[in-house]
Amino acid sequence: MENLDVTVLRALRDWRLAGRGALLATVVRTWGSSPRPVGSIMALCADGAVVGSVSGGCIEDDLIARYTQPQAADALPQGSQPPRLVKYGVSADEAHRFGLPCGGTLELLLEFDPDAGALQQLVQALDGGRLMHRRVRLADGQVQLEPADAPAELAMDAGQLVNTFGPEYRMLIIGAGQMSEYLATMALFCGFAVTVCDPREEYRGSFDVPGARLLATMPDDTVADMQPDARTCIIALTHDPKLDDMALLQALQTPAFYIGAIGSRRNNAARRQRMIEHLEQTEESLARLRGPVGIYISSKTPPEIAVSIMAEVLAVKNGVALPAGVDVAHVKDSQALAAAGSSCIVG
């Protein structure tokens, strides 16, 4: 599945290129609990079609009623207009009416009829794998696009809003076994572009996950060809050092946000020792290598283990404190996990 932001921007671009009125809603501030984080976006077409989300659904319904219904007092204005800021959940009654969590308030920036050419340029850049800043001048809605060096949180001041958009996250899975099928499926549903690499024909022959790219190349060559960036994760699932080790070493030379391998604690300790003794690595150079991968949920079956791995990948992606090299998947009690510095809840 495509990155949600790209899906929203693509739909908005298509509506505007077709000459249809539309607005872009961006969550710019939240107070207390909120259903969607700052930076979330939603596109609304004049006919009531919605792509994306800024809440659990009630605020979307209000925006549809307010801006697209024939009797709406705030019907979508014709042509470009200055952006508007709107708040939801200011009072307890409003929070309840709009389905916001207790004490939750959020503020949206609404952009009316965003420029189709700028949207086209942004989508093309994202399709090309580039990270982009989108600057919106609040006085008149004028948009400026510029390349970004690194992901950044949404920023807004009295004069402008800056939201950073990136290409979809990528996952490279080394090994095409049964667990890889489950993990690839979950990653696709979470918006990752998934590549599975396995030179072994006996494993590739039975792999069947629509939407995942399956390669027969050697894993270390695949890592090099992918040129992993900070939106890439690499997970070795073969249990075969001949396939896993060199690929993991290649991955550790990249800015990939997550690099890990499956296996028992003993096997992962042996891998690290092997890399130190024979591949000129050090504890410092291996600090980012995770293993055994996965958050402990007492999983025994391939689908449950895949759930634990996907959960850890998402935790790292979302900035949850899970130190690399800590054996999170096999810590058996909450005190030991807390001592390891993890914020996870042990199941």
Side-chain angles (χ1 to χ4, degrees):
M1 296 179 69
E2 187 174 60
N3 175 284
L4 180 57
D5 285 348
V6 179
T7 300
V8 173
L9 294 169
R10 195 184 305 280
L12 182 62
R13 176 206 61 185
D14 291 345
W15 293 337
R16 296 296 298 125
L17 287 175
R20 302 166 74 181
L23 68 78
L24 176 66
T26 303
V27 179
V28 296
R29 293 192 185 97
T30 63
W31 295 265
S33 301
S34 64
R36 297 283 285 139
V38 168
S40 300
I41 61 173
M42 181 203 83
L44 171 63
C45 189
D47 64 6
V50 172
V51 180
S53 173
V54 293
S55 79
C58 294
I59 290 177
E60 287 82 353
D61 290 345
D62 184 71
L63 291 172
I64 292 171
R66 181 181 296 189
Y67 290 104
T68 68
Q69 299 303 316
Q71 72 278 12
D74 293 329
L76 277 172
Q78 297 296 314
S80 180
Q81 300 287 327
R84 299 178 191 171
L85 288 168
V86 297
K87 282 185 180 178
Y88 285 91
V90 175
S91 68
D93 287 344
E94 268 196 329
H96 178 74
R97 181 160 62 96
F98 293 116
L100 294 172
C102 181
T105 301
L106 59 82
E107 186 172 27
L108 305 177
L109 181 74
L110 305 183
E111 299 175 56
F112 302 97
D113 285 353
D115 180 70
L119 289 168
Q120 173 78 323
Q121 183 182 347
L122 178 57
V123 171
Q124 286 177 343
L126 298 177
D127 285 344
R130 283 172 283 170
L131 193 67
M132 300 292 291
H133 290 315
R134 181 176 184 268
R135 298 180 181 273
V136 181
R137 193 161 65 191
L138 301 184
D140 57 10
Q142 182 176 334
V143 172
Q144 178 182 352
L145 302 174
E146 58 189 41
D149 295 327
E153 300 294 329
L154 179 143
M156 189 177 75
D157 56 28
Q160 67 175 357
L161 173 144
V162 183
N163 207 356
T164 303
F165 296 101
E168 58 196 343
Y169 280 83
R170 298 184 294 169
M171 177 181 288
L172 171 61
I173 301 173
I174 300 168
Q178 184 182 37
M179 190 182 304
S180 299
E181 291 192 348
Y182 290 114
L183 181 58
T185 301
M186 294 175 195
L188 288 167
F189 275 107
C190 290
F192 285 71
V194 177
T195 298
V196 177
C197 168
D198 200 325
R200 304 169 299 178
E201 174 60 34
E202 62 271 25
Y203 285 90
R204 290 198 318 276
S206 59
F207 185 88
D208 183 21
V209 177
R213 184 173 62 146
L214 181 61
L215 301 178
T217 49
M218 289 299 294
D220 55 329
D221 293 335
T222 306
V223 173
D225 291 342
M226 279 188 69
Q227 299 183 340
D229 55 19
R231 300 170 76 87
T232 307
C233 63
I234 299 163
I235 305 169
L237 299 181
T238 73
H239 297 278
D240 185 343
K242 298 188 299 295
L243 298 177
D244 292 346
D245 287 6
M246 296 307 296
L248 293 170
L249 287 181
Q250 184 76 32
L252 288 169
Q253 300 175 37
T254 75
F257 76 89
Y258 182 102
I259 302 165
I262 201 170
S264 67
R265 286 171 289 179
R266 179 179 299 174
N267 286 343
N268 275 277
R271 173 185 292 109
R272 300 176 79 89
Q273 190 62 35
R274 186 167 62 244
M275 289 179 169
I276 291 171
E277 290 182 359
H278 302 293
L279 298 174
E280 301 180 348
Q281 298 302 299
T282 65
E283 290 292 347
E284 291 74 21
S285 68
L286 297 176
R288 296 169 55 219
L289 179 59
R290 296 176 177 273
V293 288
I295 291 174
Y296 175 68
I297 55 173
S298 194
S299 38
K300 299 289 192 296
T301 64
E304 289 189 1
I305 295 171
V307 168
S308 77
I309 296 171
M310 194 70 230
E312 188 179 46
V313 169
L314 293 175
V316 174
K317 167 185 170 289
N318 295 334
V320 177
L322 293 176
V326 173
D327 186 8
V328 176
H330 292 80
V331 175
K332 296 297 185 182
D333 63 84
S334 57
Q335 289 183 343
L337 191 58
S342 172
S343 61
C344 292
I345 298 174
V346 178

